[in-house]
Amino acid sequence: MSPAALRHHFLRSLASLATAIPLFRPGSSLPGANAPLVSAPPLDAETGPMRAKPWLRLSLRASVAEGMFAEVFTACAGATVLTAWAIALQLGPFLVGVMTSMSFFAQFVQFPAAWLTSTFGHRRVALTAVCLSRLAVLPLCLVPWLPLSLAGQQRLLVGIAAVSAVLSVVGNNAWVAWMGELVPRPLRGRFFGRRTALCTIAGTLASLVAGVFLDRTKQIGAVGAALPALSALACIVGVVTTFLMSRQHDPAPGSSAIRLDFEAARVPLRDPHSRRVLLYQVAWNASVGLSAPYFALHMLQNLKMTFVVMALYSAAVAGVRVLLAPLWGRLIDRVGAQPVVLACSLGLSAVPLIWLFPTAGMLWPLVFDVVLAGTLWSGHALAVFALPLAVAPRKGRPFYLAAFSTAGGLAYAVTSALGGGLASVLPTHFTLGQHEYVNLQVLFLLSSVSRVAAAFLATRIIEPNAQQARSFGALAELLWPRARPAPAPVLAEARTGNGEN
């Protein structure tokens, strides 16, 4: 493959990662792992050179800058910092699970968000909702001075997470429609590929800086002031991102309101192909939800990791994901999404088990998690994005994608809360055999077992116009085809031709 072709494929793989439905990983929301195009149409191949208009060039530059500042916002108010807030306010595992699952539970507003976007216009809704979602953390700046009890501060934190999550879903829905109109199809692969790459760099650097800041303030006992300061910076960055979004052109300012058709929303449930994907999504997100919200808590409370180490870990996983995206993209093009979903689901079932071995004085087993999780989440993200697009008809596709997001989000949110409740009733530390474990590691073990069960559901998925893997043998044959010997009749003819009897 020529360097130009490799660069093109790499950027398109980054673009596909940008559209993947996000799954929270241990430590934080990974840099560049936000999913700005969850409901976007598939990325078309480039049709040739295109002359961009001046207003389009300015809009695309503003969009790239906005994405990079959005990663700074995530570093200041994302999952890692929210977990630090949870520890500072003494939230138990149950409330931590509820708080971190809000973004999934908020997928319930997908259908109302689509109605708002179509009624009031994508640009207006995106600017308003995104701005409010990023300013929702403003009350955290004042927590030390508010006349609230500890329980009141806890409820405030969970409430802010809920409001921000709902507004983010509404804003994302409108932003997707806006970008679909703004970015021409021939430019989408290149544009979103470069945008995702630059956002990944910005997010990694911002996470490291925020980690150093939190570690330094923790050493001098000033975390209580550092967290409000980060929230204030997040609000300022949120205003900057809104300004940059306002600099982007609106090529289709008109709006055509649609009515909330709940009957159309039930169509995916009647489609047998869609129903199988939906069942896998529910089972998989439920199994991931059991453990995903608690990795960051485990890192901070039990493994005693610093924020810098957590940021480096997250950056390493993100780097592996991005580097291997082109390989997964080629494999999906060759065999389809269903075999890749099955293979990655089986492999990811082992990831939570890795977290049974690290201790505060022995973190090196996490190297295996970086390699395994980074590799397999990269393939899973690409395949799980391509699969709904393959089974959903073009007409009614938004309803199909909204159904997948809603069902998967509900499953994740429910099991996150259940996992937190289970961890709350278990002893914080217990001894089994000669080894000491913590309550969160029970959730990791349960998540691993349930992921295996969810992986078996992937064998039932029917992907049109793709090779299917119904068993482990068929999966191995598809992913690692062996060289076969020539058929016997051909060999016999060859021997006859050489004068052998």
Side-chain angles (χ1 to χ4, degrees):
M1 182 179 290
S2 67
L6 181 62
R7 183 173 64 253
H8 167 73
H9 190 86
F10 181 69
L11 290 175
R12 285 184 57 77
S13 296
L14 283 174
S16 296
L17 278 178
T19 61
I21 297 173
L23 289 173
F24 289 123
R25 286 289 306 120
S28 67
S29 56
L30 293 175
N34 296 327
L37 293 179
V38 154
S39 304
L43 299 170
D44 294 340
E46 297 176 20
T47 57
M50 178 177 176
R51 196 179 192 86
K53 299 178 181 179
W55 58 262
L56 177 59
R57 286 196 296 268
L58 292 175
S59 296
L60 297 185
R61 290 171 185 167
S63 178
V64 171
E66 184 272 330
M68 296 173 71
F69 274 99
E71 291 294 339
V72 177
F73 172 87
T74 300
C76 297
T80 299
V81 176
L82 283 180
T83 303
W85 272 106
I87 294 175
L89 298 182
Q90 303 175 29
L91 263 69
F94 175 75
L95 287 179
V96 171
V98 170
M99 181 185 70
T100 54
S101 64
M102 284 298 179
S103 60
F104 282 85
F105 190 79
Q107 298 299 323
F108 266 118
V109 302
Q110 283 279 2
F111 293 109
W115 176 80
L116 285 172
T117 299
S118 65
T119 301
F120 298 102
H122 37 243
R123 185 176 186 273
R124 184 186 304 174
V125 173
L127 283 170
T128 303
V130 171
C131 180
L132 292 177
S133 71
R134 291 169 181 170
L135 291 179
V137 300
L138 183 60
L140 292 179
C141 306
L142 308 174
V143 162
W145 300 278
L146 292 176
L148 293 175
S149 63
L150 179 62
Q153 292 177 349
Q154 293 174 345
R155 288 193 290 269
L156 176 64
L157 177 63
V158 175
I160 287 173
V163 171
S164 179
V166 171
L167 289 171
S168 295
V169 171
V170 175
N172 179 75
N173 186 287
W175 189 85
V176 166
W178 185 6
M179 291 298 102
E181 297 288 346
L182 176 64
V183 185
R185 286 181 181 270
L187 296 180
R188 283 184 190 165
R190 285 177 292 170
F191 171 70
F192 286 112
R194 293 188 180 98
R195 186 181 190 273
T196 303
L198 290 173
C199 288
T200 300
I201 295 172
T204 300
L205 294 176
S207 297
L208 288 173
V209 172
V212 171
F213 176 67
L214 286 173
D215 285 337
R216 293 291 176 85
T217 53
K218 185 178 180 180
Q219 291 172 0
I220 61 176
V223 174
L227 292 174
L230 284 177
S231 298
L233 178 59
C235 292
I236 294 173
V237 173
V239 172
V240 173
T241 59
T242 304
F243 171 76
L244 291 171
M245 289 180 68
S246 69
R247 302 288 295 175
Q248 299 171 42
H249 181 68
D250 186 5
S255 60
S256 55
I258 60 172
R259 64 188 183 90
L260 284 174
D261 189 351
F262 293 102
E263 187 62 27
R266 295 172 56 188
V267 171
L269 300 177
R270 302 194 195 102
D271 185 339
H273 291 182
S274 169
R275 198 162 52 237
R276 296 187 180 200
V277 176
L278 196 63
L279 183 60
Y280 166 78
Q281 290 271 40
V282 169
W284 179 255
N285 278 6
S287 64
V288 172
L290 270 175
S291 60
Y294 306 103
F295 285 110
L297 188 63
H298 183 60
M299 286 178 171
L300 291 171
Q301 281 190 340
N302 302 316
L303 300 184
K304 309 301 181 184
M305 292 173 63
T306 65
F307 291 100
V308 171
V309 173
M310 290 176 65
L312 289 172
Y313 162 82
S314 299
V317 176
V320 174
R321 286 188 64 185
V322 170
L323 287 175
L324 294 182
L327 300 179
W328 286 113
R330 286 199 297 271
L331 184 60
I332 292 173
D333 290 341
R334 181 168 64 87
V335 303
Q338 186 266 345
V340 174
V341 168
L342 176 58
C344 291
S345 299
L346 289 171
L348 288 169
S349 301
V351 169
L353 298 179
I354 297 176
W355 290 81
L356 301 180
F357 301 101
T359 62
M362 187 182 70
L363 296 178
W364 64 262
L366 293 183
V367 173
F368 296 101
D369 178 85
V370 168
V371 176
L372 189 62
T375 299
L376 296 176
W377 277 123
S378 176
H380 190 275
L382 289 170
V384 90
F385 168 70
L387 197 56
L389 293 177
V391 301
R394 186 170 185 178
K395 182 179 181 181
R397 180 175 287 164
F399 288 103
Y400 277 74
L401 298 181
F404 293 143
S405 297
T406 302
L410 174 62
Y412 183 99
V414 170
T415 55
S416 295
L418 291 176
L422 176 60
S424 299
V425 300
L426 290 173
T428 305
H429 296 270
F430 61 93
T431 301
L432 191 62
Q434 297 181 342
H435 299 279
E436 184 177 352
Y437 298 94
V438 297
N439 53 353
L440 297 181
Q441 289 176 318
V442 176
L443 302 184
F444 302 159
L445 178 61
L446 292 175
S447 177
S448 177
V449 174
S450 58
R451 289 184 192 194
V452 174
F456 277 99
L457 292 176
T459 62
R460 302 180 66 249
I461 294 174
I462 299 176
E463 182 184 2
N465 304 318
Q467 303 182 54
Q468 302 293 124
R470 302 296 186 194
S471 65
F472 297 140
L475 178 64
E477 186 69 24
L478 281 176
L479 300 184
W480 300 283
R482 297 184 297 270
R484 295 184 178 87
V490 175
L491 294 176
E493 292 174 4
R495 285 194 296 270
T496 303
N498 289 331
E500 296 180 3
N501 295 322

